[in-house]
Amino acid sequence: SRTLRNAIRSGRIGHAFLFIGTRGVGKTTTARILAKALNCMASEVPTAEPCGTCHNCVSIASGSNLDVFEIDGASNNGVEHVRDIRDNIRMVPSSSRYKIYIIDEVHQLTSAAFNALLKTLEEPPEHAIFILATTESHKVPATIVSRCQRFDFRRVGMEPTTDLLRK
C-alpha cells in the first residue's frame, strides 16, 4: 500500500497493475480503493486518501460507477470480451478522471484474449488504467506481466491483526 500511495502522491501512476495473491488477501478490495483514490473528486488530482463521500467514491463502493468496470476473467475469458473492452476504452470517462478496468482471475483468459489485451496494454489511452488480479501468476503470459507494475499480496499475520484490532 505504501508503494501505491507514494506513486499517487508523486503523480507517477502506471497504466497497468498486476495484483497477485491467494484468495482472500484483498486484491479486489485494494483495486477498488485504488479506483477511488484515482477518481476521488474531493481533490483536484488523484489522492492517496480518498474521501469516501463524493459521488465517485460512493458509486465505486456500490459498484455503479460508469467509469469503473469489474470484469470476472473466469466468465468473460474470450477474445470477444477483450475486444469489447478495446472498443469501449477509446471513449473518455463520463464523470471520472480515469476509466478503470479491474479484471479478476485474469489468468483464466484464453491465449487469444491475452493477445488482444496485450495490444491494449502496449498503447493504452491516457485515461485508461488496468488492474489485473490473479491467484495463479504463472498462468499470466510474461508479455502481460512485463507491461504491469506487479504487487504480490500475502496474508497478514496474527500479531499485526490483533494489534490493529486493539487500536
Side-chain angles (χ1 to χ4, degrees), residues 35-117:
K36 287 181 194 178
L38 296 173
N39 285 330
C40 181
M41 299 315 272
S43 173
E44 297 288 320
V45 294
T47 177
E49 281 101 34
C51 71
T53 57
C54 70
H55 170 71
N56 280 346
C57 287
V58 171
S59 63
I60 290 169
S62 69
S64 62
N65 189 286
L66 297 175
D67 297 318
V68 177
F69 304 90
E70 284 192 46
I71 301 159
D72 178 27
S75 55
N76 298 298
N77 61 356
V79 68
E80 65 279 357
H81 297 108
V82 177
R83 285 189 181 138
D84 289 343
I85 292 171
R86 246 184 30 210
D87 292 341
N88 186 23
I89 203 168
R90 295 178 190 167
M91 293 179 274
V92 295
S94 61
S95 64
S96 304
R97 284 185 200 95
Y98 297 100
K99 268 192 172 183
I100 299 176
Y101 293 85
I102 301 169
I103 305 177
D104 201 8
E105 300 300 332
V106 72
H107 66 272
Q108 293 192 18
L109 295 181
T110 64
S111 59
F114 273 125
N115 287 334
L117 181 60

Side-chain angles (χ1 to χ4, degrees), residues 1-2 4 7 11 15 18 22 28 39 45 56 58 72 74 85 87 95 98 116-117 129-130 142 156-157 164:
S1 63
R2 184 181 312 130
L4 289 171
H15 70 281
L18 180 61
T22 58
T28 307
N39 285 330
V45 294
N56 280 346
V58 171
D72 178 27
I85 292 171
D87 292 341
S95 64
Y98 297 100
L117 181 60
I129 294 179
F130 286 87
V156 177
L164 183 62

